[in-house]
Amino acid sequence: MRKFAYETFLFLTWLLPMLFFSYLAFVFIFFTLFPDFPLILNQKNILALSNSQFAFGLILLFVLSFIGLYLKVKEKSLNFSLPKLGSTSEWLVLLTTSYFFSYFIIRTFFELRRFNSLLILSLTLFFIFFLYNLSTFLTSPNLEYFKLLIFSSQKKSYSLFSNKYHRQILLNFGRNGFILFLSTLFCLVLVYLTLWTLENVYAFGSQKVALILLLSSVWFLFGYLIKVQLQRRLNYLIYIFRKIAANKKVLHEFKEMTLNILKSFLIGLGIISLFAVIVGFFAWRLNRQAQIQKKLRESLVITDIVPHKTTLAELVKVRGYNFGWRLNPNDKLLSDYGPVIVEEWTEQQISFRVPLNWQVGELNLWVEKYETDNDNYTRKLQSNKLQIEIASRWTYYPSQEELDRKDIGSYISRGLKKIRRFILHRE
Amino acid sequence: MLFIDGTRRKLVQGMLLLISYYFALRILNSTNDFVTLVIIVSLYLAIFGTFKALFCSFASDLGKSKFNKSSFGKNLILSLLWVCSVILAKKAGASAWLFDSFDDATLLFFIYLPFALLFAISERTNIILAIILWLYTAFFYLNNFKLTTDLFTILAFWLFALAVFKKFYEV
């Protein structure tokens, strides 16, 4: 069981990054390449995720694959190595990819502009090393354990192709299954085309047509399957079973083999279901998050107040979406104490200084905006309310008494307040 | 067009496909939708062996370069990582002088460039790809799909340009 869990985890460290990268690349290329494509798919939502969400996901996946890489190195099936690339173009691609990734992560998490280039440079160097090893890791998934688990018996090994009867049964089953699949597909295409023609050309009601055609097709298919396919296969199986029953050894082997196939099938089904549940869960969460993001971006909404806790006369930034141009004089930022004097109003940010008349404690902030359409109809939009906490000024600045005292306690207190001020003015 | 297999029988098949498609549209009195158009043009190109020519040319490129199985996979993963890094870098506003001047088609070409470099795609493959895009462009234009027409035209132009630059570099 421990081995199974270990191998499953190792496989997931390979699968999840591969899925994420492939999915992102596919969605982007597909939607950029076919802008006229009429389908509206939810998958497009992933591109609406914010930079910080992408960065968190990316770091999580990188950490996961790093653990996978480390485990593989420990198993001695892979080695950490410095990049050994064949051509200049490979170096160029690796270098640029590393730069882009590091730029994205640094710009998402850090606001210290002075050190940005230094941080980006050092992270790029790390990524050159990491991405090279990551590409080696992602190229070589280890599926041997699962292959063994599914295709071999634990007690006694019977090859599926050891007996000519078995081989014959399997080959026939495969061939007939394939023919059945093709014929069903053909029938379905015919049904679809007939449905489409009747609905579009003869303007039948779509529900009526669908019901008539689907019922008749289903009955036709059912009859066809029963009469031709199933009957023929049953006759063939009866013939094979009679032959097998004549030989007891072969019968025993056949029973063992059937049990093994059943066991392997159940184990395989279990593994596939486990992966499907895990991957499905991640995909569902990601899609849900992306949908929420998309919805947020389409409405007047405050997402963040920076800093969340502040004091009087300090600059506060209200961040969100769709604040728009302040065309109407009645557009305003409101608090529990009334309208606030705004210093800067942009599409995604409103800045103001905390008025001196605000009391210490928590209060709500929200935006009111008037939107006029082409018919001169005006409607009022109101954003969500977010809380801001106003602290006493002496939480951040030293009082006169502290400045006058020259003991260690006052120095520590002033130091602490200086750190608080640094954090407050960081943005 | 020498490398595209255009025998007389295929020519007749291709023409018949287009004519029957045209008459089917006239009889049904309906307009082309995007998906049907893409399928029909793809079938038309498949009949003329254009896709076959593309895959054969790509396989020949791979055969000429010193690829083994592991370096092929590694380059494929590097190309995938490149696509994601470009998307994220553009989102974060990296190299604004570069990305801000790109339209969608040029960005797609920029994403395709490392693939062409890593797999040493020859000018022949690029030209076949450009011809395929060109033919799609013509059909999209005839059926008033404006955005896709523009996009495919620019992409075809870039692919031709890449083929020419590659030839210059070799000469």
Side-chain angles (χ1 to χ4, degrees):
Chain A
M1 191 61 199
R2 192 184 290 174
K3 174 82 176 159
F4 177 74
Y6 172 77
E7 289 292 338
T8 310
F9 176 73
L10 202 61
F11 181 63
L12 279 178
T13 57
W14 173 83
L15 184 72
L16 289 176
M18 277 301 280
L19 272 178
F20 178 77
F21 290 133
S22 317
Y23 185 67
L24 181 64
F26 169 76
V27 168
F28 180 78
I29 291 173
F30 186 79
F31 283 104
T32 319
L33 197 57
F34 299 112
D36 282 319
F37 198 66
L39 294 177
I40 300 160
L41 297 170
N42 284 334
Q43 280 83 337
K44 204 177 179 178
N45 290 342
I46 191 176
L47 299 174
L49 287 178
S50 69
N51 283 358
S52 53
Q53 282 163 337
F54 261 125
F56 272 120
L58 204 65
I59 287 172
L60 195 73
L61 289 174
F62 279 153
V63 168
L64 198 68
S65 43
F66 189 81
I67 293 169
L69 193 60
Y70 172 74
L71 290 174
K72 278 212 158 188
V73 170
K74 217 175 159 190
E75 277 180 6
K76 290 180 182 171
S77 55
L78 266 184
N79 280 323
F80 277 124
S81 61
L82 287 169
K84 288 172 208 158
L85 294 169
S87 63
T88 326
S89 50
E90 286 175 26
W91 269 108
L92 197 69
V93 172
L94 184 68
L95 200 71
T96 326
T97 311
S98 310
Y99 169 72
F100 282 159
F101 270 130
S102 54
Y103 186 93
F104 173 73
I105 288 175
I106 296 295
R107 281 305 297 272
T108 308
F109 289 118
F110 295 95
E111 289 286 338
L112 299 166
R113 285 173 188 273
R114 260 182 296 173
F115 304 109
N116 266 1
S117 18
L118 197 66
L119 284 172
I120 289 171
L121 186 71
S122 44
L123 199 63
T124 306
L125 290 174
F126 166 74
F127 266 125
I128 290 174
F129 171 74
F130 177 65
L131 289 182
Y132 174 77
N133 286 298
L134 180 73
S135 65
T136 319
F137 169 66
L138 292 179
T139 319
S140 52
N142 190 6
L143 301 172
E144 287 304 314
Y145 174 78
F146 297 109
K147 273 186 196 166
L148 276 173
L149 201 67
I150 294 170
F151 292 116
S152 78
S153 158
Q154 284 165 3
K155 290 176 189 171
K156 193 177 172 183
S157 131
Y158 287 101
S159 167
L160 287 176
F161 295 94
S162 63
N163 191 297
K164 68 175 181 180
Y165 291 123
H166 304 163
R167 193 171 57 194
Q168 196 63 34
I169 291 169
L170 283 172
L171 284 176
N172 275 309
F173 187 73
R175 197 188 63 194
N176 288 345
F178 183 65
I179 291 168
L180 185 70
F181 172 73
L182 276 186
S183 53
T184 318
L185 195 71
F186 181 68
C187 284
L188 282 175
V189 169
L190 273 183
V191 168
Y192 176 75
L193 281 177
T194 326
L195 197 83
W196 187 83
T197 317
L198 276 175
E199 196 185 325
N200 287 289
V201 183
Y202 300 104
F204 271 40
S206 57
Q207 284 177 344
K208 197 174 160 188
V209 174
L211 200 68
I212 294 167
L213 273 169
L214 277 176
L215 273 178
S216 52
S217 319
V218 165
W219 280 114
F220 173 75
L221 274 173
F222 188 65
Y224 175 78
L225 284 177
I226 292 290
K227 191 172 180 301
V228 186
Q229 296 289 328
L230 206 63
Q231 196 178 13
R232 198 200 297 167
R233 195 159 292 118
L234 267 175
N235 285 340
Y236 182 73
L237 275 175
I238 289 165
Y239 169 75
I240 293 291
F241 272 118
R242 271 184 192 158
K243 276 214 152 192
I244 290 168
N247 189 334
K248 278 192 178 175
K249 195 182 163 197
V250 175
L251 186 68
H252 178 70
E253 277 189 12
F254 186 77
K255 214 163 68 182
E256 284 284 318
M257 193 198 77
T258 319
L259 281 173
N260 278 331
I261 290 176
L262 196 67
K263 202 170 75 183
S264 308
F265 174 73
L266 285 175
I267 294 171
L269 197 71
I271 295 167
I272 291 164
S273 315
L274 183 72
F275 288 140
V277 167
I278 293 168
V279 171
F281 176 74
F282 278 111
W284 174 67
R285 288 295 306 169
L286 194 70
N287 205 28
R288 202 175 150 195
Q289 187 61 28
Q291 264 178 345
I292 292 168
Q293 278 296 315
K294 197 182 174 197
K295 210 172 170 184
L296 279 181
R297 288 188 174 209
E298 283 165 359
S299 52
L300 179 65
V301 65
I302 300 176
T303 53
D304 202 7
I305 296 175
V306 182
H308 174 68
K309 185 179 175 182
T310 185
T311 185
L312 304 177
E314 292 293 340
L315 190 73
V316 175
K317 291 168 185 170
V318 178
R319 287 175 183 164
Y321 299 113
N322 301 307
F323 296 146
W325 292 99
R326 203 180 179 190
L327 297 172
N328 195 320
N330 292 325
D331 292 353
K332 54 199 161 193
L333 177 69
L334 286 164
S335 72
D336 290 344
Y337 298 109
V340 184
I341 298 167
V342 171
E343 284 193 1
E344 188 192 25
W345 185 300
T346 62
E347 170 70 12
Q348 294 188 351
Q349 186 168 292
I350 297 170
S351 311
F352 70 95
R353 278 196 188 275
V354 179
L356 297 174
N357 63 332
W358 283 9
Q359 302 293 317
V360 172
E362 288 186 342
L363 65 120
N364 292 309
L365 280 177
W366 69 97
V367 179
E368 256 184 28
K369 197 170 153 44
Y370 290 84
E371 204 176 67
T372 311
D373 63 7
N374 292 335
D375 302 329
N376 281 332
Y377 175 76
T378 306
R379 66 180 179 136
K380 189 171 89 173
L381 300 172
Q382 187 176 321
S383 75
N384 57 324
K385 290 182 180 179
L386 276 194
Q387 278 195 335
I388 181 171
E389 190 181 342
I390 306 295
S392 160
R393 196 158 172 77
W394 311 128
T395 318
Y396 294 96
Y397 293 93
S399 60
Q400 192 58 48
E401 186 198 345
E402 271 174 336
L403 287 171
D404 292 342
R405 269 165 50 203
K406 302 287 180 191
D407 58 343
I408 298 171
S410 75
Y411 282 124
I412 292 172
S413 163
R414 281 163 65 185
L416 279 174
K417 286 178 181 177
K418 193 156 190 168
I419 292 168
R420 276 186 203 144
R421 282 204 299 282
F422 174 74
I423 295 168
L424 184 71
H425 296 143
R426 190 183 44 174
E427 290 283 335
Chain B
M1 298 283 276
L2 283 174
F3 34 77
I4 295 172
D5 182 14
T7 58
R8 198 177 295 169
R9 197 176 61 138
K10 285 191 171 177
L11 194 71
V12 173
Q13 281 176 349
M15 294 309 289
L16 276 176
L17 178 78
L18 277 187
I19 292 167
S20 52
Y21 175 58
Y22 173 73
F23 276 109
L25 282 179
R26 289 296 297 273
I27 291 164
L28 300 174
N29 199 20
S30 76
T31 51
N32 285 327
D33 68 289
F34 191 76
V35 187
T36 323
L37 189 71
V38 169
I39 292 169
I40 290 292
V41 181
S42 305
L43 278 174
Y44 181 78
L45 292 174
I47 285 171
F48 278 94
T50 333
F51 290 123
K52 193 178 149 195
L54 180 70
F55 287 123
C56 287
S57 179
F58 181 58
S60 135
D61 292 350
L62 289 185
K64 276 178 199 163
S65 55
K66 296 164 190 168
F67 270 122
N68 54 32
K69 203 179 165 188
S70 87
S71 65
F72 179 85
K74 203 179 280 182
N75 282 348
L76 208 62
I77 299 287
L78 265 181
S79 307
L80 186 68
L81 288 173
W82 163 267
V83 177
C84 296
S85 73
V86 168
I87 297 166
L88 295 177
K90 190 175 181 292
K91 243 176 124 52
S95 312
W97 56 272
L98 183 75
F99 287 122
D100 286 1
S101 61
F102 281 176
D103 57 299
D104 282 354
T106 314
L107 184 67
L108 279 174
F109 176 71
F110 187 66
I111 281 174
Y112 166 76
L113 256 183
F115 187 80
L117 280 174
L118 290 175
F119 290 93
I121 306 269
S122 66
E123 59 276 3
R124 194 173 75 155
T125 315
N126 279 328
I127 286 177
I128 298 174
L129 198 58
I131 289 171
I132 290 175
L133 290 179
W134 209 5
L135 286 167
Y136 276 114
T137 310
F139 283 94
F140 289 143
Y141 177 76
L142 290 172
N143 289 280
N144 295 326
F145 291 105
K146 297 284 183 207
L147 292 173
T148 322
T149 308
D150 291 352
L151 200 129
F152 274 50
T153 313
I154 298 167
L155 262 180
F157 161 76
W158 277 121
L159 286 171
F160 274 124
L162 181 66
V164 171
F165 278 125
K166 202 166 165 53
K167 200 68 193 170
F168 276 160
Y169 182 72
E170 279 172 16
V171 170

